[in-house]
mmCIF file of all heavy atoms in Angstrom:
data_model
loop_
_atom_site.group_PDB
_atom_site.id
_atom_site.type_symbol
_atom_site.label_atom_id
_atom_site.label_comp_id
_atom_site.label_asym_id
_atom_site.label_seq_id
_atom_site.Cartn_x
_atom_site.Cartn_y
_atom_site.Cartn_z
ATOM 1 N N LEU A 56 -0.090 -13.964 4.026
ATOM 2 C CA LEU A 56 -0.614 -14.744 5.138
ATOM 3 C C LEU A 56 -1.532 -13.860 5.984
ATOM 4 O O LEU A 56 -1.770 -12.696 5.653
ATOM 5 C CB LEU A 56 0.539 -15.314 5.960
ATOM 6 C CG LEU A 56 1.504 -16.230 5.181
ATOM 7 C CD1 LEU A 56 2.640 -16.690 6.069
ATOM 8 C CD2 LEU A 56 0.769 -17.426 4.583
ATOM 9 N N GLU A 57 -2.020 -14.398 7.097
ATOM 10 C CA GLU A 57 -3.063 -13.702 7.866
ATOM 11 C C GLU A 57 -2.620 -12.318 8.342
ATOM 12 O O GLU A 57 -3.384 -11.346 8.228
ATOM 13 C CB GLU A 57 -3.465 -14.550 9.080
ATOM 14 C CG GLU A 57 -4.557 -13.890 9.921
ATOM 15 C CD GLU A 57 -4.964 -14.720 11.126
ATOM 16 O OE1 GLU A 57 -4.661 -15.930 11.152
ATOM 17 O OE2 GLU A 57 -5.594 -14.163 12.037
ATOM 18 N N GLU A 58 -1.419 -12.197 8.892
ATOM 19 C CA GLU A 58 -0.967 -10.902 9.410
ATOM 20 C C GLU A 58 -0.950 -9.846 8.310
ATOM 21 O O GLU A 58 -1.333 -8.697 8.515
ATOM 22 C CB GLU A 58 0.429 -11.051 10.023
ATOM 23 C CG GLU A 58 0.971 -9.785 10.667
ATOM 24 C CD GLU A 58 0.260 -9.422 11.960
ATOM 25 O OE1 GLU A 58 -0.255 -10.344 12.621
ATOM 26 O OE2 GLU A 58 0.222 -8.224 12.296
ATOM 27 N N HIS A 59 -0.515 -10.246 7.139
ATOM 28 C CA HIS A 59 -0.479 -9.341 5.986
ATOM 29 C C HIS A 59 -1.890 -8.902 5.594
ATOM 30 O O HIS A 59 -2.162 -7.710 5.447
ATOM 31 C CB HIS A 59 0.195 -10.049 4.812
ATOM 32 C CG HIS A 59 0.216 -9.258 3.551
ATOM 33 N ND1 HIS A 59 1.383 -8.780 2.992
ATOM 34 C CD2 HIS A 59 -0.782 -8.838 2.712
ATOM 35 C CE1 HIS A 59 1.102 -8.123 1.887
ATOM 36 N NE2 HIS A 59 -0.211 -8.143 1.701
ATOM 37 N N GLU A 60 -2.780 -9.887 5.423
ATOM 38 C CA GLU A 60 -4.125 -9.576 4.948
ATOM 39 C C GLU A 60 -4.903 -8.727 5.950
ATOM 40 O O GLU A 60 -5.643 -7.828 5.565
ATOM 41 C CB GLU A 60 -4.883 -10.868 4.644
ATOM 42 C CG GLU A 60 -4.430 -11.541 3.365
ATOM 43 C CD GLU A 60 -4.667 -10.661 2.151
ATOM 44 O OE1 GLU A 60 -5.774 -10.690 1.600
ATOM 45 O OE2 GLU A 60 -3.737 -9.908 1.771
ATOM 46 N N PHE A 61 -4.738 -9.013 7.239
ATOM 47 C CA PHE A 61 -5.416 -8.197 8.247
ATOM 48 C C PHE A 61 -4.984 -6.743 8.129
ATOM 49 O O PHE A 61 -5.826 -5.832 8.058
ATOM 50 C CB PHE A 61 -5.105 -8.716 9.652
ATOM 51 C CG PHE A 61 -5.633 -7.830 10.758
ATOM 52 C CD1 PHE A 61 -6.950 -7.926 11.174
ATOM 53 C CD2 PHE A 61 -4.812 -6.889 11.368
ATOM 54 C CE1 PHE A 61 -7.441 -7.096 12.173
ATOM 55 C CE2 PHE A 61 -5.296 -6.054 12.359
ATOM 56 C CZ PHE A 61 -6.611 -6.163 12.767
ATOM 57 N N SER A 62 -3.687 -6.499 8.075
ATOM 58 C CA SER A 62 -3.187 -5.125 8.011
ATOM 59 C C SER A 62 -3.616 -4.440 6.723
ATOM 60 O O SER A 62 -4.068 -3.282 6.741
ATOM 61 C CB SER A 62 -1.655 -5.130 8.124
ATOM 62 O OG SER A 62 -1.238 -5.666 9.354
ATOM 63 N N ALA A 63 -3.495 -5.139 5.598
ATOM 64 C CA ALA A 63 -3.844 -4.530 4.315
ATOM 65 C C ALA A 63 -5.319 -4.175 4.236
ATOM 66 O O ALA A 63 -5.692 -3.083 3.786
ATOM 67 C CB ALA A 63 -3.464 -5.469 3.171
ATOM 68 N N ARG A 64 -6.185 -5.094 4.685
ATOM 69 C CA ARG A 64 -7.626 -4.841 4.598
ATOM 70 C C ARG A 64 -8.069 -3.759 5.581
ATOM 71 O O ARG A 64 -8.964 -2.974 5.289
ATOM 72 C CB ARG A 64 -8.399 -6.135 4.846
ATOM 73 C CG ARG A 64 -8.098 -7.252 3.847
ATOM 74 C CD ARG A 64 -8.688 -7.002 2.461
ATOM 75 N NE ARG A 64 -7.951 -6.011 1.671
ATOM 76 C CZ ARG A 64 -6.822 -6.267 1.022
ATOM 77 N NH1 ARG A 64 -6.279 -7.456 1.066
ATOM 78 N NH2 ARG A 64 -6.233 -5.332 0.302
ATOM 79 N N LEU A 65 -7.459 -3.717 6.772
ATOM 80 C CA LEU A 65 -7.860 -2.693 7.738
ATOM 81 C C LEU A 65 -7.344 -1.317 7.335
ATOM 82 O O LEU A 65 -8.014 -0.302 7.552
ATOM 83 C CB LEU A 65 -7.377 -3.075 9.140
ATOM 84 C CG LEU A 65 -8.383 -3.864 10.000
ATOM 85 C CD1 LEU A 65 -9.597 -3.012 10.332
ATOM 86 C CD2 LEU A 65 -8.848 -5.152 9.321
ATOM 87 N N ILE A 66 -6.162 -1.251 6.734
ATOM 88 C CA ILE A 66 -5.672 0.036 6.223
ATOM 89 C C ILE A 66 -6.583 0.512 5.102
ATOM 90 O O ILE A 66 -6.893 1.708 5.003
ATOM 91 C CB ILE A 66 -4.206 -0.086 5.756
ATOM 92 C CG1 ILE A 66 -3.285 -0.280 6.962
ATOM 93 C CG2 ILE A 66 -3.790 1.147 4.955
ATOM 94 C CD1 ILE A 66 -1.845 -0.588 6.612
ATOM 95 N N PHE A 190 -6.037 2.287 15.677
ATOM 96 C CA PHE A 190 -7.116 1.629 14.943
ATOM 97 C C PHE A 190 -6.803 0.154 14.705
ATOM 98 O O PHE A 190 -7.659 -0.728 14.912
ATOM 99 C CB PHE A 190 -7.335 2.351 13.608
ATOM 100 C CG PHE A 190 -8.332 1.689 12.701
ATOM 101 C CD1 PHE A 190 -9.668 1.594 13.060
ATOM 102 C CD2 PHE A 190 -7.934 1.165 11.476
ATOM 103 C CE1 PHE A 190 -10.598 0.982 12.221
ATOM 104 C CE2 PHE A 190 -8.854 0.555 10.634
ATOM 105 C CZ PHE A 190 -10.180 0.460 11.011
ATOM 106 N N LEU A 191 -5.585 -0.163 14.288
ATOM 107 C CA LEU A 191 -5.208 -1.550 14.033
ATOM 108 C C LEU A 191 -5.229 -2.373 15.318
ATOM 109 O O LEU A 191 -5.680 -3.526 15.320
ATOM 110 C CB LEU A 191 -3.830 -1.614 13.384
ATOM 111 C CG LEU A 191 -3.720 -1.067 11.956
ATOM 112 C CD1 LEU A 191 -2.276 -1.127 11.475
ATOM 113 C CD2 LEU A 191 -4.621 -1.831 11.004
ATOM 114 N N ALA A 192 -4.762 -1.775 16.413
ATOM 115 C CA ALA A 192 -4.763 -2.491 17.689
ATOM 116 C C ALA A 192 -6.189 -2.761 18.158
ATOM 117 O O ALA A 192 -6.516 -3.862 18.621
ATOM 118 C CB ALA A 192 -3.998 -1.690 18.734
ATOM 119 N N ALA A 194 -8.850 -2.955 16.286
ATOM 120 C CA ALA A 194 -9.499 -3.877 15.367
ATOM 121 C C ALA A 194 -9.124 -5.324 15.628
ATOM 122 O O ALA A 194 -9.870 -6.236 15.266
ATOM 123 C CB ALA A 194 -9.164 -3.501 13.924
ATOM 124 N N GLN A 195 -7.974 -5.545 16.258
ATOM 125 C CA GLN A 195 -7.598 -6.914 16.624
ATOM 126 C C GLN A 195 -8.631 -7.521 17.568
ATOM 127 O O GLN A 195 -8.873 -8.726 17.552
ATOM 128 C CB GLN A 195 -6.213 -6.907 17.296
ATOM 129 C CG GLN A 195 -5.048 -6.599 16.382
ATOM 130 C CD GLN A 195 -4.566 -7.813 15.614
ATOM 131 O OE1 GLN A 195 -5.140 -8.899 15.719
ATOM 132 N NE2 GLN A 195 -3.506 -7.634 14.847
ATOM 133 N N GLU A 198 -13.419 -5.309 15.271
ATOM 134 C CA GLU A 198 -13.316 -4.462 14.088
ATOM 135 C C GLU A 198 -14.469 -3.464 13.989
ATOM 136 O O GLU A 198 -14.276 -2.322 13.556
ATOM 137 C CB GLU A 198 -13.261 -5.325 12.824
ATOM 138 C CG GLU A 198 -11.990 -6.146 12.705
ATOM 139 C CD GLU A 198 -11.915 -6.916 11.396
ATOM 140 O OE1 GLU A 198 -12.561 -6.503 10.401
ATOM 141 O OE2 GLU A 198 -11.208 -7.947 11.361
#
Side-chain angles (χ1 to χ4, degrees):
L56 301 178
E57 180 180 343
E58 183 71 27
H59 176 113
E60 285 298 274
F61 173 83
S62 298
R64 300 288 76 79
L65 267 294
I66 290 173
F190 174 65
L191 292 177
Q195 290 277 3
E198 292 184 24

